[in-house]
Amino acid sequence: MEKDSFRSKKKKLKKGEFLLYYVDGLNHIDNKLNTDYIISQHIKYSKFTDEEREFCHNYENTPKDFIIDSNKSNEELTIDDISERMNLALAKQEKEWKYSEIQRKLDLKPIGRQHKTKLHHKFNYLIHLFCSRCTNNENGYTKVNSELLKDIIGNDYNIALYTLLRIGFIDTDGAYTIGKSSRAYRIKDKYISSIKTKPESNVTIKKYIYKGYEQFEAYKRAKFNRLSDRDKFIVERYDNCLLRLKMAFTDECEKFIYNNKEYEQNKPIQKEYYLNIYNKYTYQENGPFTINKIDNDNRIYHILTNTPKDLKQFLNIKFSIDIKNSHPLLLNKLLLIYYSDNELFNNIVNKDINIYNILISNNNLSTHYVYENPHNKLINNNIDKLLNDIPNIPVDVKKYIYKTSQGRMWEELLEACKSQGLEALDRGELKAQMFAEVFYSKTKTMAYKEYGKVFKSIYPNVYKVINELKPKGDETKLSHIIMKMESELFYQILESIYKETGYDAINIHDAIVILDTPNNESCNHNEIEAIMKEIYNTYSLFPSFSIELYSRPKKLVRIAQNGLI
């Protein structure tokens, strides 16, 4: 990549402006859903109790006429028929009376113009919030923390969300756990294609947006202060690298999004998702990029973790190296513990064990990768030595350890699935099915798990250990252990890169990304791969790698790690 390409074309907003997300033509969709209508419904709902809101919603959305048996004449009616009709008529009359009584509340105290103006700003902010956040990913959902939203727009946040749900602008997955998980919301499909952006300078809406940004920064500072000294060093250096992440080919990216990208029909929000990510790179409203979040498994999230794979070719990335079948590979550690240290395995299942204690188990073997030796042969030699110390491992478990270390597990499973008539189109689809039905499934039954049955038939003892790592009441335990292990390994890799080389490096969970910056001019993938191998090897893990080189014509070159480069 040419050095002058680092001067990415960044779009400018005028002083005091911000980028507002809105729904184009909202006032004309169905001739109903406009801001004035939204506010009128909000005012109505705000004057009702929860029970009254539900009653009115059901009353307004159900037929008002009761159904009678038209096959009978009046002379043929029985006493029971007459009684039923009278009860239906009485119920209808009671509902009409109750509805009219509830509606009388609307006439008691009309709100003033100033209040209506405030509600306009609040709903414009909420529409901006959902449009900007629901397009951050392809599934279209975003979680909203009620307490934080209350702090931004005030006590009527709950009625405002209820209004947007009832009028059909958003819907929710309904999943909510007090103190643990917020509800996730998505914009209804019919509004997605109308999501647009424009420069805006409204002071009140800007205040709401800035308040949300301040909350986010306060959360990050609190999280940072709880980190260890090592992790603080990594985060600070990581943010410094993210400062240098740019979109190097803005015009080419825009052309790709509008003209060349073929969007999937079953993903209605996909184009808006691509445009949203593009806008984040070209506007950078909140300044240079930094880490967005570090979750409870210590996984790091930022703009690049949200960026679609086929947009990365337009960024200033030199190359990336990822671990082949990373999560299945890390399971090897737990398999070895299962067959060699029963006490430790039981503690892993029943207690919260420090991830480092899991990683250092079975580390009696001291091996180092030597480039003169063929990669797969060296992996096999290392595994042979490791397994010799654990004689009771079943054949299918040994096979699993070899296949995952060589990076060949998915290919074998893909062929096995095809032989069973299962239509897994590619590795990506197969991985999604296997993770859903085997590795991270919350249920242990094989019902309706055709891909899971294939895995179990090839690796029965591996499947058994996987299920034992999902104790009742904590069925997601295995997934969290694996992700924490991966995070720890990549923290050590990043620490080594930062301290030993000073290169600009970040990661996307199981991959190291080297930016194309002057600081990385002398960096090559062999050097980074050696560091990654050494860290994994320290814990008797023997991965294979996949390398992606990003070249000036924006063509992605995938190279299988076989000693050719």
Side-chain angles (χ1 to χ4, degrees):
M1 191 180 292
E2 298 170 0
K3 287 187 179 180
D4 62 358
S5 66
F6 296 119
R7 300 170 190 156
S8 59
K9 186 187 292 184
K10 183 178 171 184
K11 295 183 179 179
K12 298 283 187 179
L13 291 167
K14 295 179 181 177
K15 186 176 181 180
E17 286 185 339
F18 60 92
L19 198 64
L20 180 73
Y21 286 74
Y22 67 103
V23 176
D24 190 30
L26 188 63
N27 291 340
H28 306 292
I29 296 176
D30 293 342
N31 294 319
K32 178 181 179 181
L33 189 59
N34 55 64
T35 310
D36 288 334
Y37 172 76
I38 294 172
I39 290 173
S40 70
Q41 294 301 103
H42 173 86
I43 293 170
K44 179 175 76 172
Y45 294 140
S46 66
K47 294 184 178 181
F48 297 160
T49 65
D50 290 346
E51 188 273 332
E52 288 170 341
R53 283 197 293 270
E54 288 302 309
F55 175 83
C56 287
H57 175 78
N58 293 331
Y59 181 85
E60 292 167 353
N61 290 277
T62 54
K64 305 301 182 292
D65 296 327
F66 57 86
I67 300 173
I68 61 174
D69 187 351
S70 59
N71 293 324
K72 291 183 179 182
S73 64
N74 289 337
E75 290 77 12
E76 296 175 312
L77 293 177
T78 65
I79 295 297
D80 289 340
D81 292 333
I82 295 171
S83 177
E84 181 183 4
R85 289 191 176 193
M86 290 179 65
N87 288 335
L88 287 171
L90 182 61
K92 178 188 176 186
Q93 188 177 30
E94 287 178 349
K95 288 180 179 180
E96 289 175 345
W97 177 82
K98 184 176 181 179
Y99 181 76
S100 64
E101 286 296 303
I102 293 173
Q103 294 299 305
R104 285 179 59 190
K105 287 188 174 184
L106 300 178
D107 303 323
L108 297 179
K109 188 179 178 182
I111 68 168
R113 183 180 298 177
Q114 189 175 11
H115 188 186
K116 278 190 176 182
T117 300
K118 288 182 178 178
L119 288 176
H120 267 276
H121 295 328
K122 289 181 180 182
F123 277 103
N124 282 331
Y125 166 72
L126 286 173
I127 291 169
H128 163 87
L129 180 72
F130 284 115
C131 288
S132 62
R133 287 178 56 173
C134 288
T135 53
N136 268 341
N137 56 71
E138 285 187 313
N139 68 33
Y141 277 96
T142 184
K143 291 192 174 184
V144 176
N145 184 293
S146 296
E147 286 302 313
L148 297 182
L149 190 59
K150 178 182 177 181
D151 187 49
I152 294 172
I153 65 173
N155 292 328
D156 51 1
Y157 78 95
N158 200 25
I159 303 299
L161 289 178
Y162 178 89
T163 302
L164 293 177
L165 281 166
R166 279 305 188 198
I167 65 176
F169 180 70
I170 58 174
D171 60 21
T172 178
D173 65 354
Y176 171 64
T177 306
I178 296 176
K180 288 187 176 181
S181 177
S182 303
R183 286 188 179 90
Y185 298 88
R186 65 183 289 275
I187 297 173
K188 289 292 187 70
D189 289 350
K190 65 180 178 179
Y191 302 115
I192 288 169
S193 62
S194 299
I195 295 174
K196 307 290 180 186
T197 59
K198 65 179 180 181
E200 181 58 68
S201 56
N202 182 279
V203 175
T204 304
I205 300 174
K206 185 177 181 180
K207 181 186 74 174
Y208 293 147
I209 294 173
Y210 185 71
K211 200 165 187 179
Y213 176 73
E214 282 184 321
Q215 289 177 344
F216 177 63
E217 289 300 308
Y219 163 81
K220 285 173 59 177
R221 286 193 297 270
K223 184 83 173 180
F224 180 82
N225 290 334
R226 294 195 295 269
L227 297 176
S228 66
D229 289 342
R230 182 205 67 169
D231 291 355
K232 285 180 180 178
F233 163 77
I234 291 172
V235 167
E236 288 177 335
R237 186 68 179 85
Y238 204 113
D239 275 342
N240 196 39
C241 294
L242 282 172
L243 295 177
R244 298 173 171 84
L245 177 63
K246 310 289 182 185
M247 178 164 283
F249 307 105
T250 307
D251 293 339
E252 292 90 338
C253 183
E254 188 172 18
K255 182 180 178 181
F256 173 78
I257 291 172
Y258 281 103
N259 301 329
N260 299 337
K261 171 67 180 175
E262 294 183 7
Y263 297 100
E264 300 172 50
Q265 291 185 353
N266 64 336
K267 295 180 179 178
I269 206 164
Q270 192 176 38
K271 184 176 181 179
E272 284 65 36
Y273 160 53
Y274 273 62
L275 286 169
N276 187 14
I277 298 300
Y278 169 78
N279 283 331
K280 290 182 186 299
Y281 279 103
T282 53
Y283 281 99
Q284 291 190 23
E285 278 191 275
N286 297 320
F289 301 122
T290 57
I291 292 172
N292 291 335
K293 183 177 76 169
I294 301 175
D295 69 14
N296 292 332
D297 296 320
N298 288 327
R299 286 159 70 90
I300 298 175
Y301 296 85
H302 45 79
I303 180 66
L304 198 56
T305 57
N306 276 8
T307 302
K309 183 176 181 179
D310 47 4
L311 291 192
K312 290 172 185 173
Q313 59 184 315
F314 303 106
L315 307 178
N316 63 325
I317 297 175
K318 188 171 186 178
F319 62 84
S320 64
I321 305 179
D322 71 277
I323 308 290
K324 288 186 177 181
N325 42 247
S326 174
H327 285 202
L329 172 76
L330 292 173
L331 179 63
N332 293 346
K333 201 72 191 173
L334 299 167
L335 291 170
L336 294 173
I337 292 172
Y338 180 84
Y339 288 102
S340 65
D341 193 336
N342 187 59
E343 181 181 358
L344 177 57
F345 187 85
N346 287 333
N347 285 337
I348 291 171
V349 173
N350 299 310
K351 300 178 181 179
D352 289 326
I353 299 294
N354 187 293
I355 290 300
Y356 187 70
N357 291 336
I358 297 176
L359 285 171
I360 63 174
S361 64
N362 303 114
N363 285 352
N364 300 324
L365 179 63
S366 177
T367 56
H368 296 280
Y369 286 83
V370 182
Y371 282 107
E372 288 77 8
N373 290 333
H375 184 65
N376 282 344
K377 182 179 178 181
L378 185 58
I379 286 178
N380 292 344
N381 290 341
N382 287 332
I383 295 173
D384 288 342
K385 295 175 185 177
L386 182 63
L387 297 182
N388 284 338
D389 294 334
I390 311 172
N392 298 321
I393 296 182
V395 173
D396 68 294
V397 176
K398 290 182 179 180
K399 178 182 177 183
Y400 177 90
I401 292 172
Y402 281 111
K403 290 288 186 181
T404 53
S405 297
Q406 294 165 358
R408 291 162 46 195
M409 186 191 76
W410 297 124
E411 286 75 10
E412 178 195 45
L413 287 172
L414 192 60
E415 288 302 315
C417 287
K418 287 181 178 178
S419 70
Q420 296 294 317
L422 299 176
E423 296 298 324
L425 298 178
D426 54 28
R427 278 175 44 127
E429 184 179 337
L430 175 69
K431 287 166 67 174
Q433 292 288 353
M434 286 297 175
F435 278 114
E437 296 185 14
V438 179
F439 294 98
Y440 299 150
S441 171
K442 293 181 181 179
T443 61
K444 298 180 181 181
T445 175
M446 276 284 109
Y448 308 109
K449 295 179 180 178
E450 299 306 316
Y451 291 88
K453 290 174 184 176
V454 172
F455 183 92
K456 184 179 179 182
S457 68
I458 300 173
Y459 301 114
N461 289 291
V462 176
Y463 182 77
K464 174 188 172 185
V465 176
I466 287 173
N467 278 342
E468 290 201 29
L469 286 160
K470 301 174 187 177
K472 187 175 180 180
D474 194 7
E475 288 80 3
T476 62
K477 183 156 200 165
L478 174 60
S479 63
H480 291 299
I481 290 173
I482 294 290
M483 287 188 283
K484 286 176 180 175
M485 289 170 64
E486 184 179 72
S487 297
E488 175 57 31
L489 289 165
F490 272 81
Y491 274 40
Q492 292 185 30
I493 290 168
L494 288 166
E495 181 184 25
S496 182
I497 292 173
Y498 294 154
K499 289 184 175 179
E500 294 176 18
T501 70
Y503 292 143
D504 296 326
I506 54 180
N507 79 306
I508 305 177
H509 305 321
D510 65 351
I512 289 293
V513 178
I514 298 296
L515 301 182
D516 196 348
T517 63
N519 197 37
N520 291 346
E521 193 169 350
S522 63
C523 181
N524 66 77
H525 66 83
N526 285 332
E527 187 178 5
I528 302 302
E529 185 180 321
I531 293 173
M532 297 173 74
K533 285 178 179 178
E534 183 177 2
I535 298 297
Y536 269 71
N537 177 233
T538 300
Y539 303 106
S540 298
L541 289 164
F542 310 103
S544 295
F545 301 86
S546 179
I547 302 169
E548 290 184 358
L549 302 180
Y550 293 71
S551 60
R552 176 58 181 88
K554 305 172 298 305
K555 248 179 152 182
L556 217 55
V557 182
R558 180 172 284 277
I559 301 173
Q561 179 54 34
N562 55 12
L564 296 177
I565 298 179

